[in-house]
Every structure is written in structure tokens, then in C-alpha cells.
Amino acid sequence: MRITVLAGGVGGARFALGLRDAARAAHGDAAEITVVANVGDDMWLSGVKVCPDLDSLLYALAGVNDAERGWGRAGESERVAGELAAYGVGWPWFTLGDLDLGTHLARTALLRDGADLTEATARLAARWPIGATLLPVTNDEVPTHVVTDEGVLHFEEWWVRTRAQLPARRFVQHGLERSRISHAARAAIAGADVLLVAPSNPVVSIGTIVGIPGVRDAIETARAPVVGVSPIIGGQALRGMAAACLATIGVETDAAAVAAHYGARSDDGLLDGWLVAEQDAAAVPRLAELGIVAEARPLLLTPGAPAQQVAADALALAARLAG
Ligand code: GDP
Ligand code: CA
């Protein structure tokens, strides 16, 4: 059973952990999970290549993430960051921890030695038994920039320094037209038995992934059903500022509005199925009219059994749509 999931960072990681448990429970060793990750947040900072979403996924799947803080490595220290700040290098509001810097240095070394981002990510992931294949959606650089009234900022500067408080007029992926889906990501989509869309930011995580040339084609021609999980519950984005991103592209912060924005696959869109939270059950008949089979289920990705159940429900809906 080959399961491929499109994912951003934190929401993607919480879902991926549940998916690993659910897939093992249902399919044992026959479960093969591939996570196709957003790279729109990536940047070069203090001389190293930082991939926030790949790292959130890697650390969570490896069990070395700081679950309380919500990002980075557990047991982190910040000695190097203090030195960088003393030299005035880097972003003082974007601390790279010492252990985290080890990842970025290793990645940068691999890239300097000629590896592409797919190969470098595989080398980093090989360190831990993460129980999944982790792939960047593309080997090309497609940094998201945010157009504001005070100038154009890298996405992470807008997100972390301004806490998404500065109104975003537009999101722009630099280099998008010249980018290409990677061979590995294309193969993971084409060869999947089930395709899932994680409850990730619909604009700057999933939107960036499906905007990479080749991704929509790969999904369109894939034989697997595509089931998404709503990141919006009761009109709220959990643990994040996704509402600010949705407002910029004129989409309501609402589970049905996000599904309609993704569109029905039968209508050149992304989705065959969509899970909404129980309080959004009224969206189910509305989405049926658009050609999206929706179900209302608990969608809180509390680690352990609840997150596993969310993923199991997504797999069950996919099985129903396939069969
Ligand atoms: P980022 O790259 O770190 O911003 O993370 P993602 O793009 O993967 O996910 C961010 C989204 O995850 C947020 O917009 C939230 O709406 C969503 N999210 C976070 N926690 C939960 C949860 O427990 N359940 C659901 N359904 N969505 C969640
Ligand atoms: Ca992200």
C-alpha cells in the first residue's frame, strides 16, 4: 500500500505521525509512506541552506523535535546563534539552534558536494528510522516572497518577524516558472495507491506544492484517489496564522471554502474526498454538489491515538472512493 501525502511543516508533521501509525496498524510492513514536502519557506541564512518544512517533518518523524515549543530540536542550545548575533550575521529574530545548525551544515555540505535537495534530504533522513520517505517537491529553489506596503519580504521574515501582522498584498514564488517537480516526487504521486493532502497551510504550503509545474499534471493523471484533511476547524486555523494567508488570496477561513478553492478533481481540481471537523458537518452536502465527497470527523491532531484516527479516517475515505 503506497501512500503519498502532500505536506507543509507543523500541520504536515502532526498528520504524518498519525499516518505512520494508522498505515502500520492497517497494512503492517506493506505500508510505504512518502511525504512530498513544501520548499517555499526555504532560505539561505548565515551561509547555510534552511528548509523549515522538511526539517519539521524530519525531526517529528525521527522523534527528536521539540514538541512543547512546536519547532526545532528537543534539548536545543543556542551558543552558535549568540556568536552569529555578536557578528551581526543572520536574522536576530530567527534563531538557529546548535543541533538544528548541524542539520543545515550537513545539508549545505551535501549540496556543495553536488547532491540535489532530494539526495541531500535522503542522506539526512537516513540517520533515523523515520518510517517514511521524505521528498522535497522540487530540487529547484522557489522561495515565497510576501508583497507588503513596507516592501517585499521573504516569507519567513513576514511570518516570524512580523507574525503575519503586516497585511500581505500578494505571495510570489520566485523562480516558479523555471522550476519542475522532481522525478522522485512525480513517481511518488504517479505510483501511489492513495494520495493525501495534509491539513497544512492551503496557501503557502499546499498552494506552493501544487503550483510547481508538473504537480497538477501528476495528480490529474494519478490513478489513486485524493483525500484531503481540512486545516480549518470551525472557521479557525489551529496553531498558526493561515487565516492571514487565506485572506490575501480572497478565500474565507472555512473548511468548505478551502475545499472549494482546491476544487474537485472531476472539475480540474485537486480533491476527490475531504475530511471536515464535526462542527463543520453542514459543509458535507454543499461539497457534494461540487463533486467532493466530504465526511465530518474529529480532526484535532493530538499526538497518539487521536492523530492516528484522523489519518485512519482519511485512509478509509480513500478506500471507499477507490473501491
Ligand atoms: P507550517 O509549514 O509549519 O506552517 O505548517 P503546515 O503548513 O503544515 O500546517 C499549518 C496548518 O496546520 C495550520 O494552518 C493549521 O490550520 C493546521 N493544523 C495545526 N494543527 C492542526 C490540528 O490539530 N488539526 C487540523 N485539522 N489542522 C491543524
Ligand atoms: Ca511552512
Side-chain angles (χ1 to χ4, degrees):
M1 172 60 75
R2 284 170 294 181
I3 303 163
T4 297
V5 55
L6 311 183
V10 173
R14 296 173 78 89
F15 182 70
L17 287 178
L19 179 61
R20 191 174 59 185
D21 290 342
R24 274 185 190 154
H27 305 288
D29 289 341
E32 284 178 40
I33 297 173
T34 304
V35 183
V36 173
N38 173 42
V39 296
D41 306 7
D42 294 6
M43 64 203 153
W44 287 90
L45 188 61
S46 302
V48 292
K49 169 95 163 176
V50 181
C51 301
D53 289 3
L54 281 167
D55 292 337
S56 292
L57 288 158
L58 177 64
Y59 296 158
L61 287 164
V64 299
N65 60 311
D66 188 328
E68 261 167 53
R69 191 171 54 168
W71 53 275
R73 291 281 301 269
E76 189 59 286
S77 54
E78 294 176 356
R79 293 193 69 192
V80 178
E83 288 296 293
L84 289 170
Y87 288 121
V89 167
W91 287 339
W93 39 265
F94 197 97
T95 305
L96 300 173
D98 297 332
L99 300 177
D100 196 29
L101 268 165
T103 304
H104 309 320
L105 283 169
R107 174 187 295 119
T108 304
L110 292 162
L111 293 172
R112 288 286 302 251
D113 287 346
D116 60 28
L117 187 61
T118 300
E119 293 160 349
T121 302
R123 280 283 301 276
L124 299 181
R127 175 178 173 190
W128 290 289
I130 65 171
T133 302
L134 193 52
L135 297 176
V137 61
T138 178
N139 289 312
D140 300 320
E141 296 193 346
V142 284
T144 301
H145 284 71
V146 188
V147 179
T148 75
D149 292 343
E150 292 174 27
V152 180
L153 310 179
H154 185 281
F155 173 75
E156 291 291 342
E157 181 171 13
W158 177 71
W159 192 251
V160 179
R161 183 173 66 75
T162 83
R163 307 293 304 154
Q165 295 302 301
L166 200 57
R169 302 297 172 203
R170 236 156 27 94
F171 296 102
V172 180
Q173 269 77 42
H174 276 247
L176 191 69
E177 312 75 39
R178 279 168 282 121
S179 72
R180 244 353 256 166
I181 186 174
S182 72
H183 289 299
R186 171 179 281 284
I189 292 170
D193 299 304
V194 175
L195 281 168
L196 300 175
V197 180
S200 288
N201 188 309
V203 185
V204 294
S205 292
I206 303 302
T208 300
I209 291 174
V210 300
I212 304 289
V215 173
R216 279 193 179 274
D217 283 354
I219 293 170
E220 208 173 287
T221 53
R223 55 192 166 71
V226 182
V227 170
V229 177
S230 178
I232 306 299
I233 298 180
Q236 302 263 335
L238 287 108
R239 305 177 190 87
M241 302 164 286
C245 301
L246 284 166
T248 299
I249 64 161
V251 174
E252 205 185 325
T253 302
D254 170 78
V258 171
H261 168 67
Y262 285 160
R265 208 163 162 214
S266 55
D267 192 22
D268 289 337
L270 194 59
L271 299 174
D272 297 302
W274 185 240
L275 292 184
V276 300
E278 289 163 304
Q279 56 266 54
D280 296 317
V284 172
R286 272 165 53 213
L287 290 172
E289 285 171 25
L290 296 180
I292 298 168
V293 178
E295 284 180 355
R297 293 276 183 276
L299 290 192
L300 274 185
L301 293 165
T302 309
Q308 178 176 339
Q309 188 59 48
V310 174
D313 287 338
L315 291 174
L317 177 55
R320 196 152 73 72
L321 292 170

